[in-house]
Amino acid sequence: SFAVTMALVTVLAVGAVAAGAHFGVFDFMKKMFGASGVLPEAEELVQQNLGSLKLEHTTLNVDEAVYDGGTLHVVYSITQNDADAPLTEQDAEDSQSAFQLAVAADAVHMECDSFWVNGTEYCMTNCSTVDTMIGENDGELLCYLDIQLASAGIVPDGDFTVKLPVAGGNGDYQTLDFTVQASGSDWQPVVLYSDNATVTLTSAFVSPVRIYATLRLEMNADASAQEADETFEDWAEAELVDAQGNRLAGMTELMPENLVDGESVDYSYTFLPTEAEEVYLAPTFINEQGEWAVDMTRALPLQ
């Protein structure tokens, strides 16, 4: 669940934290995963100072946002209005510190169980995460929110509005509102018919941050249980390759959804970015020589 994920991921860094630090989206990704794994041109996707919410004791601001076609990455700050020094680790953790008392007085929370996109409310999606870091400004805590969109079937077409319920509760929320710039998509589903299954590539997005693909796998009615197991496994171990079947980048996440044993499954893939001009998603199989290989006869073009 999202709550469990947050409990595992939300940590305060030590060392440089006490002095404060400027942390953007890619800095949080590097902190959480050891490396951001983005290409240099990913900087072009960074949007800054998108919206703010001023409360009696605190002010919240959307410092950075990056939408890469599959995930919305957001860094927003919570700042104590009357602070005259950067926070310390103790300030951030102590429920009786001036910062935490200000946060409590405004009923501000550092995580969200839901969000709005273009006016539609969604529960926080599976595998979304949150992290925090003390900021460089007086009384400032930075919050990083990584919201999985494409894997939940949320694929906005062009610019979209976001509302984060960051204060209040019991249905009476104050929201941090902002608009995210995004390229419009003319993506059309790609359907592949094989001997025993139909595979539909429902969405795909190639960006310098991450590469995403979602597909629907449906077995034919006359397919055997063994064929279903093998086909499910082939696509669960799919690779990102070029037109010749050469591996381009590693998979960072696979999310199976709506699994019906022996019948159907939805897969959402996340891969590291690549500079290749042609990108395919290809299932794997064991060939006649007993070797692992990618099956380009079933490859689906992402770009």
Side-chain angles (χ1 to χ4, degrees), residues 15 120 146 164 248 274:
T120 300
D146 175 302
L164 299 177
L248 294 174
T274 176

Side-chain angles (χ1 to χ4, degrees), residues 39-82:
L39 301 179
E41 52 266 38
E43 292 291 341
E44 300 174 7
L45 299 179
V46 178
Q47 301 164 57
Q48 297 179 320
N49 297 319
L50 298 180
S52 62
L53 174 65
K54 186 173 180 61
L55 303 173
E56 183 177 356
H57 305 91
T58 58
T59 298
L60 292 86
N61 187 73
V62 182
D63 295 348
E64 283 193 6
V66 171
Y67 175 62
D68 58 16
T71 300
L72 175 61
H73 312 264
V74 180
V75 174
Y76 66 91
S77 57
I78 303 173
T79 304
Q80 178 189 342
N81 290 338
D82 59 356

Side-chain angles (χ1 to χ4, degrees), residues 46 51-52 64-65 92 116 161 167 196-197 205 218 223 239-240 243 271 275:
V46 178
S52 62
E64 283 193 6
W116 281 262
T161 59
N196 55 24
F205 202 95
E218 296 177 284
E239 291 279 359
L240 196 73
F271 292 92
E275 295 179 331

Side-chain angles (χ1 to χ4, degrees), residues 122-141:
Y122 300 93
C123 290
M124 191 56 66
T125 54
N126 189 28
C127 290
S128 294
T129 54
V130 68
D131 198 1
T132 58
M133 168 66 74
I134 292 172
E136 62 184 343
N137 298 315
D138 291 350
E140 179 185 63
L141 183 72

Side-chain angles (χ1 to χ4, degrees), residues 49-248:
N49 297 319
L50 298 180
S52 62
L53 174 65
K54 186 173 180 61
L55 303 173
E56 183 177 356
H57 305 91
T58 58
T59 298
L60 292 86
N61 187 73
V62 182
D63 295 348
E64 283 193 6
V66 171
Y67 175 62
D68 58 16
T71 300
L72 175 61
H73 312 264
V74 180
V75 174
Y76 66 91
S77 57
I78 303 173
T79 304
Q80 178 189 342
N81 290 338
D82 59 356
D84 56 7
L87 296 179
T88 65
E89 188 174 350
Q90 182 176 357
D91 293 330
E93 295 179 341
D94 185 359
S95 63
Q96 297 304 306
S97 70
F99 172 77
Q100 288 291 359
L101 290 174
V103 166
D106 287 340
V108 170
H109 27 90
M110 300 169 195
E111 71 280 339
C112 302
D113 291 327
S114 65
F115 60 95
W116 281 262
V117 171
N118 289 339
T120 300
E121 185 177 11
Y122 300 93
C123 290
M124 191 56 66
T125 54
N126 189 28
C127 290
S128 294
T129 54
V130 68
D131 198 1
T132 58
M133 168 66 74
I134 292 172
E136 62 184 343
N137 298 315
D138 291 350
E140 179 185 63
L141 183 72
L142 302 177
C143 300
Y144 172 69
L145 189 56
D146 175 302
I147 305 176
Q148 302 285 330
L149 295 181
S151 61
I154 307 168
V155 185
D157 185 13
D159 297 354
F160 58 97
T161 59
V162 178
K163 294 178 180 288
L164 299 177
V166 292
N170 298 321
D172 184 18
Y173 291 103
Q174 296 189 75
T175 60
L176 187 55
D177 304 347
F178 55 102
T179 298
V180 178
Q181 296 178 355
S183 300
S185 174
D186 58 358
W187 177 264
Q188 296 296 321
V190 177
V191 181
L192 170 71
Y193 299 100
S194 63
D195 292 340
N196 55 24
T198 299
V199 180
T200 304
L201 186 65
T202 55
S203 68
F205 202 95
V206 177
S207 85
V209 179
R210 292 291 186 268
I211 294 174
Y212 300 92
T214 58
L215 63 79
R216 173 73 174 170
L217 171 60
E218 296 177 284
M219 300 302 302
N220 295 343
D222 58 354
S224 68
Q226 181 177 348
E227 287 176 327
D229 288 344
E230 292 174 351
T231 304
F232 283 16
E233 185 174 355
D234 289 351
W235 284 102
E237 298 180 355
E239 291 279 359
L240 196 73
V241 297
D242 62 16
Q244 288 71 47
N246 299 308
R247 187 172 186 264
L248 294 174

